[in-house]
Amino acid sequence: QLQLVESGGGLVQPGGSLRLSCGAPGFTLNYYGFLWFRQAPGKEREGISCISSRNGITRYADSVKGRFTISRDNAMNTVYLQMNSLKPEDTAVYYCAAGLTPDPDNCIITSRVARFWGQGTQVTISS
């Protein structure tokens, strides 16, 4: 069973940056599309970004567009979420997910394609 592991969460001030990482020790992730979700206290889970398994196509929710960047390093079997210009409303538990999509050259931000999930990492934006 593929188990994703996130890291990189923490406490930062508004306007700061964090980079989250997602990997699966012992597994090759090249064939999977990846997604990032987040869930704030009392709110529903929100899909925020995805990256295709091929050609690195990326998509973002409006709430993070222009501030967050998803990327993947297949050689390192790792997916990243670079988060800049962080706001208090970005405070949430962030989850990465992986799945096989019908079109490897595209991605869709939906949990329907997420087959494997990480345990989540807390991101807190506060002064």
Side-chain angles (χ1 to χ4, degrees), residues 64-122:
V64 305
K65 195 174 294 182
R67 300 187 298 123
F68 290 12
T69 302
I70 189 173
S71 63
R72 64 189 299 157
D73 185 337
N74 288 340
M76 297 295 291
N77 277 333
T78 304
V79 175
Y80 303 98
L81 185 68
Q82 177 68 44
M83 307 187 295
N84 298 329
S85 303
L86 285 162
K87 307 174 182 179
E89 51 264 43
D90 293 319
T91 295
V93 178
Y94 284 70
Y95 301 89
C96 71
L100 296 173
T101 56
D103 183 357
D105 294 318
N106 199 359
C107 72
I108 302 173
I109 305 175
T110 173
S111 59
R112 293 196 300 271
V113 302
R115 180 179 178 186
F116 305 105
W117 292 83
Q119 81 289 352
T121 185
Q122 177 69 47

